[in-house]
């Protein structure tokens, strides 16, 4: 493992704490009854936490020389990630169906958070697996997937604990993850490391943010409506 990434598990652990913080009042404190939540929400939360735990443990297994166990956890992700993507899709469907009766336009606009997240995670994870034998590239794409966990949690932190308006909270969270990805890219450029992973990470983050910014526009409304018609 590259020296700069020897303690990458600490970064992943910090994301875990942000997720717990963000979902504390909106979900975790509802334990054990979880009134108002269904099995889809529970499965989504469980899979999200499982993915973060997998990200934390993988570099630790490499550092400790337990490569066979590292590969076994990696293979387990072949089952975890499709289920995680399905859970994101299903949570989005629940939210969409709640909103459609109130405002079809806003329901379609809300998909600007779901569709880009699905595509971004699938792309970054897929590229990580495609490059699983190229550890430097593989690791960078995996880190890219972790950035996608920050947005929803950090948005809730801002709204619940700091009274930031919803739209501003989403923007600020997006700006932060784009900035982190961009800084990682700049660092790799100066250190002459592979630039493709963080270039693609920045690209998918920016495209996701643009979809959110133009969620009420004709193009996104057409795309979102077509998506909802086919899948929801």
């Amino acid at each position: 493992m590259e020296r700069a990434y020897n303690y990458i598990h600490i970064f992943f652990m910090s994301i875990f704490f942000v997720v717990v913080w963000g979902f504390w009042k909106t979900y975790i404190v509802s334990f054990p009854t979880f009134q108002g939540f269904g099995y889809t929400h529970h499965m989504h939360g469980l899979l999200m936490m499982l993915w973060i735990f997998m990200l934390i443990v993988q570099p630790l297994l490499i550092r400790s020389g337990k490569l066979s166990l590292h590969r076994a956890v990696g293979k387990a992700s072949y089952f975890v990630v499709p289920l995680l993507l399905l859970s994101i899709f299903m949570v989005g469907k629940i939210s969409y169906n709640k909103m459609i009766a109130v405002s079809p336009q806003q329901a379609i606009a809300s998909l600007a958070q779901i569709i880009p997240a699905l595509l971004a995670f699938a792309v970054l994870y897929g590229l990580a697996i495609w490059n699983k034998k190229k550890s430097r590239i593989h690791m960078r794409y995996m880190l890219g997937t972790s950035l996608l966990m920050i947005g929803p949690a950090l948005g809730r932190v801002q709204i619940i604990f700091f009274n930031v308006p919803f739209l501003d909270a989403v923007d600020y969270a997006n700006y932060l993850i784009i900035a982190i990805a961009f800084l990682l890219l700049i660092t790799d450029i100066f250190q002459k490391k592979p630039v493709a992973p963080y270039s693609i990470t920045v690209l998918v983050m920016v495209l996701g943010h643009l979809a959110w910014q133009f969620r009420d526009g004709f193009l996104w409304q057409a795309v979102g409506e077509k998506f909802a018609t086919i899948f929801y």
Side-chain angles (χ1 to χ4, degrees):
M1 184 182 295
E2 293 180 38
R3 184 175 180 181
Y5 289 87
N6 279 340
Y7 299 97
I8 192 62
H9 63 281
I10 297 176
F11 176 73
F12 295 144
M13 288 174 66
S14 69
I15 294 177
F16 168 76
F17 287 119
V18 171
V19 170
V20 171
W21 188 15
F23 287 89
W24 184 261
K25 286 191 175 181
T26 59
Y27 180 74
I28 297 174
V29 294
S30 299
F31 178 87
T33 60
F34 289 107
Q35 187 174 358
F37 295 98
Y39 290 113
T40 299
H41 296 99
H42 302 325
M43 185 59 66
H44 177 64
L46 177 63
L47 289 166
M48 281 289 188
M49 287 301 184
L50 181 57
W51 180 247
I52 295 175
F53 284 137
M54 291 173 75
L55 289 176
I56 293 171
V57 74
Q58 285 293 68
L60 293 175
L61 291 174
I62 293 176
R63 286 185 62 188
S64 61
K66 298 178 180 179
L67 299 182
S68 60
L69 185 54
H70 171 82
R71 286 190 286 269
V73 173
K75 290 178 180 178
S77 74
Y78 300 164
F79 301 95
V80 172
V81 170
L83 291 174
L84 176 56
L85 293 174
L86 178 61
S87 75
I88 296 172
F89 172 83
M90 294 303 297
V91 168
K93 182 176 181 179
I94 291 171
S95 177
Y96 174 85
N97 287 332
K98 285 182 178 178
M99 295 180 65
I100 192 68
V102 178
S103 173
Q105 181 179 353
Q106 290 305 309
I108 293 172
S110 72
L111 296 178
Q113 289 184 296
I114 300 299
I115 300 175
L118 280 170
L119 294 177
F121 198 102
V123 167
L124 295 177
Y125 173 77
L127 288 170
I129 297 304
W130 182 263
N131 292 280
K132 63 183 179 181
K133 294 184 178 180
K134 301 175 182 178
S135 59
R136 294 196 301 173
I137 297 175
H138 171 79
M139 176 178 56
R140 284 167 167 79
Y141 281 123
M142 283 300 186
L143 191 150
T145 69
S146 75
L147 297 181
L148 296 171
M149 306 291 177
I150 297 175
L154 186 59
R156 284 169 171 79
V157 168
Q158 295 176 81
I159 295 166
I160 296 169
F161 295 96
F162 300 101
N163 297 315
V164 177
F166 171 74
L167 297 181
D168 290 339
V170 175
D171 284 342
Y172 297 155
N174 286 346
Y175 295 148
L176 176 63
I177 63 175
I178 291 171
I180 293 173
F182 185 72
L183 287 173
L184 290 169
L185 172 59
I186 294 300
T187 301
D188 274 357
I189 290 174
F190 278 108
Q191 294 183 353
K192 297 182 179 180
K193 300 292 176 61
V195 298
Y198 291 140
S199 296
I200 294 174
T201 301
V202 170
L203 178 61
V204 297
M205 300 297 181
V206 170
L207 290 176
H209 182 62
L210 288 175
W212 172 251
Q213 289 297 309
F214 295 100
R215 62 193 178 278
D216 293 319
F218 170 78
L219 179 59
W220 181 261
Q221 288 289 311
V223 171
E225 183 178 10
K226 188 66 174 179
F227 179 90
T229 300
I230 296 173
F231 298 107
Y232 289 172

